[in-house]
Amino acid sequence: MELDSIQTLIKDYLELSVFTKNQVRETVEEMTREHFITFEQFCMMRLIEQHPGISPIQIAERLDINKSGVSIRISRLLDKKFIEKRKIDNRSFGLYNSEKGHAIFNEGEKKIQSLVEKWIQELGEQDSREFIRIYKKINTIITRLRAEK
């Protein structure tokens, strides 16, 4: 592949990934403001909802945020009683969404699903599945490259 072609692909990918992330952020922005949480905190709550009992270290790895940044966000969510710590064993604990946190997750999830549903309807099922297949492949490559570091 020629350098110009690679640079064009990189530029397009960056523009598209930033734009779509911003669209999702804007979709839940009013809801996050109402609950005095950040988009990043909402993303953590989504991750906790999808993986009950997840550890702060696992959150840091999955969201590619440093551990101290995760700790600060977790503390704020704990203070607001949106998440709970539960002891797993003598050395560790897992994180779970509280009832309030679960309700916030559901509220945001409905907004995101409505947005993405429109994209999928426009793309059609075949293109949507192909997009997801390629995106998963990119995530696999990213994970492998991180592990090789």
Side-chain angles (χ1 to χ4, degrees):
M1 196 177 285
E2 292 184 31
L3 182 60
D4 287 347
S5 180
I6 292 171
Q7 288 176 336
T8 300
L9 288 171
I10 291 169
K11 179 182 139 304
D12 289 346
Y13 171 78
L14 291 173
E15 284 178 16
L16 291 170
S17 63
V18 168
F19 181 75
T20 53
K21 182 178 179 180
N22 286 342
Q23 289 295 299
V24 171
R25 181 187 301 262
E26 287 173 16
T27 298
V28 296
E29 188 173 31
E30 183 180 328
M31 183 268 310
T32 56
R33 261 196 322 252
E34 281 176 21
H35 298 291
F36 303 101
I37 60 172
T38 65
F39 180 69
E40 290 75 15
Q41 287 171 317
F42 175 71
C43 290
M44 282 184 175
M45 292 172 67
R46 284 189 85 238
L47 198 53
I48 292 167
E49 187 73 26
Q50 294 164 348
H51 305 280
I54 193 168
S55 73
I57 292 170
Q58 291 169 318
I59 290 174
E61 289 169 356
R62 290 190 183 217
L63 296 180
D64 198 25
I65 303 171
N66 66 43
K67 292 173 192 167
S68 64
V70 169
S71 294
I72 291 167
R73 290 174 178 98
I74 286 173
S75 292
R76 291 182 180 147
L77 290 170
L78 286 166
D79 290 346
K80 293 175 182 172
K81 308 237 185 291
F82 293 158
I83 64 171
E84 306 168 342
K85 278 185 182 181
R86 295 186 197 156
K87 199 171 186 179
I88 294 173
D89 56 36
N90 288 336
R91 293 184 179 189
S92 60
F93 63 89
L95 297 169
Y96 299 83
N97 282 335
S98 66
E99 252 183 70
K100 285 168 44 175
H102 184 71
I104 291 168
F105 163 79
N106 282 333
E107 184 180 346
E109 197 68 5
K110 284 178 187 170
K111 292 176 183 290
I112 293 169
Q113 284 181 4
S114 176
L115 172 70
V116 176
E117 187 177 305
K118 291 173 190 168
W119 298 346
I120 290 170
Q121 286 173 348
E122 289 282 327
L123 275 174
E125 184 176 348
Q126 185 176 349
D127 284 348
S128 297
R129 290 190 185 283
E130 182 67 6
F131 169 76
I132 296 300
R133 185 192 68 75
I134 292 168
Y135 218 77
K136 283 181 175 181
K137 193 171 185 176
I138 290 169
N139 282 339
T140 301
I141 293 167
I142 291 168
T143 302
R144 181 180 46 81
L145 292 174
R146 274 191 194 153
E148 291 173 2
K149 281 186 181 181

